[in-house]
Amino acid sequence: VQLQASGGGLVQAGGSLRLSCAASGSIFAVNGMAWYRQAPGKQREVVASSSSSGITNYEDSVKGRFTISRDNAKRTAYLQMDSLKPDDTAVYSCNADVISGGRNYGNYWGQGTLVTVSS
């Protein structure tokens, strides 16, 4: 099982970016998916999460600005980030709870993607 994240980049404050995280491999089902971020000198924090049924949760500082969504058929999660602020600058990583084709439960991480917001 692999998670492939994409969509980071450089954007001005107030701009938008959309991150994608696609799960691939021998997969029976993808349960919870989440986006984390880690800014320089800070601990990693969960930004947004989504259950397989679509229940979502957000870190307080991104509520109203970020939206997590999923395309379960494509086994992909998205993070739409609007009204970006310089404080959103971080490496963003996706995480997923996956049941493999062999019916084994596992938690997987994608590679990080850098989001830089300039003031």
Side-chain angles (χ1 to χ4, degrees), residues 57-70:
N57 284 286
Y58 297 92
E59 194 269 329
D60 285 346
S61 69
V62 307
K63 286 180 180 177
R65 300 188 298 120
F66 290 11
T67 303
I68 187 171
S69 61
R70 296 174 58 157

Side-chain angles (χ1 to χ4, degrees), residues 12 20 29 39 43 49 54 68 72 78 81 83 89 91-92 96 103-104 109:
Q12 289 188 331
S20 299
Q43 289 189 331
S49 63
I68 187 171
N72 289 328
Y78 305 95
M81 304 185 294
S83 302
T89 295
V91 174
Y92 286 71
R103 303 304 190 267
N104 295 312
W109 287 92

Side-chain angles (χ1 to χ4, degrees), residues 1 25-30 97-106 108:
V1 175
S26 177
I27 297 172
F28 175 74
V30 180
D97 292 318
V98 176
I99 303 174
S100 70
R103 303 304 190 267
N104 295 312
Y105 287 78
Y108 297 88

Side-chain angles (χ1 to χ4, degrees), residues 31 50-55 70 72:
N31 291 334
S50 174
S51 70
S52 57
S53 61
I55 297 173
R70 296 174 58 157
N72 289 328

